[in-house]
Amino acid sequence: MSNVVVVYHSGYGHTRVMAEAVAQGVERHVGSTCLLVPVDEVDQHWDRLHSADAIIFGAPTYMGSASAQFKGFMESTAAFYLAQPWRDKLAAGFTNSGCLCGDKLNTLLQMAVFAAQHSMIWVGLDLLPARSSTGAFEGQMNRLGSSLGAMAQSNVEQTPDLAPPPEDRCTAAHLGERVARLAERMNPSPL
């Protein structure tokens, strides 16, 4: 069993769709639970964050960086930084933008550095990049070729029921399941 919390911000609903996919992946691992926490509700859930086995961070990439709301969440953790309640917890991240690149790697790097500052252990994506000789990546996970975390691309004119595409949602679910599995291995249940 593992207890995972997903903390995320979603400006237009697309990153929320990714957060839900991550949570579904966590819960695919038998006995694992997942709590979704939008950053504007985090003050009600600090105890759950501190007691979690893993925390997965999610934010849209705006102007090559995590959203201001997500950065506000990151800064709010300064209140307990010295106590290190997240020391040795697993951490992972996901992001979404309207462009194929959109400088999403920078957002994942921000999250990884943030996790390191809290003495967390970062979990990357264990999927090889999707491959195509035709330029089409239908049905392949990790179509954007990320290693640091799950990336998604949502056409800006599409609503969250259509974007991000299924491949990106499956990639996010895979990340959630991986984190849950590794959290269980790090914290085995007593016999």
Side-chain angles (χ1 to χ4, degrees):
M1 289 183 58
S2 60
N3 174 20
V4 180
V5 176
V6 175
V7 179
Y8 71 97
H9 171 250
S10 184
Y12 300 96
H14 301 98
T15 308
R16 176 187 45 79
V17 167
M18 292 293 289
E20 291 167 351
V22 169
Q24 289 169 1
V26 167
E27 293 177 349
R28 280 196 312 226
H29 186 71
V30 177
S32 295
T33 61
C34 188
L35 173 67
L36 289 172
V37 178
V39 293
D40 59 349
E41 296 175 16
V42 75
D43 286 339
Q44 303 162 41
H45 298 285
W46 287 119
D47 288 343
R48 293 286 301 271
L49 285 159
H50 296 336
S51 65
D53 299 313
I55 303 172
I56 303 175
F57 305 112
T61 297
Y62 295 154
M63 303 303 293
S65 180
S67 63
Q69 293 87 336
F70 190 81
K71 287 184 210 172
F73 153 72
M74 290 168 55
E75 291 175 10
S76 71
T77 66
F80 56 79
Y81 170 75
L82 294 176
Q84 292 193 307
W86 296 357
R87 181 184 187 91
D88 296 334
K89 289 185 187 302
L90 294 182
F94 60 94
T95 188
N96 175 72
S97 73
C99 296
L100 283 173
C101 174
D103 297 316
K104 289 185 274 284
L105 178 60
N106 190 53
T107 299
L108 291 175
L109 287 168
Q110 286 178 309
M111 293 174 182
V113 169
F114 170 69
Q117 289 175 332
H118 280 286
S119 302
M120 300 176 82
I121 301 164
W122 189 261
V123 176
L125 194 58
D126 63 338
L127 295 171
L128 293 173
R131 297 186 59 134
S132 174
S133 59
T134 64
F137 295 96
E138 287 85 13
Q140 295 185 63
M141 288 193 290
N142 201 16
R143 73 183 180 105
L144 299 178
S146 178
S147 297
L148 195 58
M151 289 184 182
Q153 180 269 328
S154 296
N155 295 331
V156 294
E157 69 279 356
Q158 289 183 315
T159 58
D161 59 322
L162 300 174
E167 295 84 357
D168 295 349
R169 297 174 196 220
C170 289
T171 302
H174 179 87
L175 178 66
E177 187 172 14
R178 179 171 198 236
V179 169
R181 184 178 67 250
L182 292 173
E184 181 184 51
R185 285 174 57 186
M186 287 188 64
N187 301 303
S189 300
L191 297 177

